[in-house]
Amino acid sequence: MNTAADVLELAPVVPVVALDDVAHAVPLAKALLRGGIRTIEVTLRTPAGLPAIERIATEVPEMVAGAGTITEPGQAKRAADAGARYLVTPGTTDRLLDDVDASGVPYLAGAGTVSEAMRLAERGATAMKFFPAEPSGGVPFLKAIAGPLPDLRFCPTGGISPQTAPNYLGLPNVGCVGGSWLAPKDLLAAGEWGQIEQLARDAAALR
């Protein structure tokens, strides 16, 4: 995987996970793989984020682990050092973009407006995150910008459900969606890996 565009092709649904327990990282990754999902975005919203990425990268190398919620300089390098194979930011600032650029790791930078998407395009990005998707206009927004910005493709994330995901995936400028429903906290806490595997299998069939 060499570019951000490659990230969009990994799976129709990218699980977006905030882990509270590092011990859940490996069994979660294995359950998702068994269900046909070969990537996971582990957010840095919790202290378990970086060590979880490291565990997945080391023990489940066939799973493409990404680091999400990169919001400040320094996080990109730490995530890359932990084994993250791509980075995801919720938004964009010049300082943050310079930092993720310097990491050498593909990234999906967040855009929530036409201007933000165009700004990223000026820096050479053709694949990016659309966040927060539902509050920012959802499917109608992405349909509206497909004409003036035909070369851009997105991973919409934020407020998307199994019911609405197909509406996004049917758009020509959407490569995948991000979703938290593949690894709900109650199933993680209970170690219900079989149920998570089934959620992954259902998500993998959406493409």
Side-chain angles (χ1 to χ4, degrees):
M1 192 180 62
N2 300 311
T3 69
D6 294 333
V7 178
L8 300 186
E9 306 303 323
L10 290 170
V13 181
V14 177
V16 180
V17 184
L19 289 172
D20 295 315
D21 189 342
V22 178
H24 292 155
V26 168
L28 170 60
K30 290 181 176 179
L32 292 170
L33 273 176
R34 289 194 302 270
I37 297 292
R38 61 190 187 103
T39 186
I40 182 172
E41 178 190 327
V42 179
T43 70
L44 302 190
R45 300 175 193 173
T46 67
L50 281 176
I53 291 169
E54 189 168 14
R55 289 280 299 273
I56 294 169
T58 302
E59 299 182 41
V60 196
E62 60 270 39
M63 171 61 79
V64 180
T69 319
I70 302 289
T71 58
E72 57 187 51
Q75 287 182 318
K77 184 180 187 306
R78 291 194 294 273
D81 290 345
R85 292 169 62 185
Y86 63 90
L87 310 172
V88 185
T89 76
T92 55
T93 65
D94 288 331
R95 188 179 174 204
L96 183 61
L97 290 174
D98 289 342
D99 196 60
V100 291
D101 267 331
S103 74
V105 178
Y107 64 89
L108 296 174
T113 68
V114 174
S115 294
E116 289 171 352
M118 291 175 65
R119 186 160 166 265
L120 287 170
E122 284 183 355
R123 292 184 66 121
T126 58
M128 56 195 72
K129 176 177 180 174
F130 173 46
F131 179 83
E134 285 288 288
S136 296
V139 169
F141 176 88
L142 290 169
K143 282 184 177 179
I145 67 171
L149 302 174
D151 297 327
L152 303 186
R153 298 183 76 223
F154 298 87
C155 173
T157 304
I160 300 174
S161 69
Q163 292 72 39
T164 60
N167 300 329
Y168 284 93
L169 293 170
L171 300 176
N173 57 349
V174 169
C176 61
V177 301
S180 59
W181 76 85
L182 278 76
K185 287 189 177 294
D186 58 338
L187 295 187
L188 287 173
E192 295 287 354
W193 311 119
Q195 290 190 45
I196 289 175
E197 178 183 341
Q198 185 58 54
L199 290 173
R201 187 168 289 109
D202 294 341
L206 291 176
R207 173 109 62 193

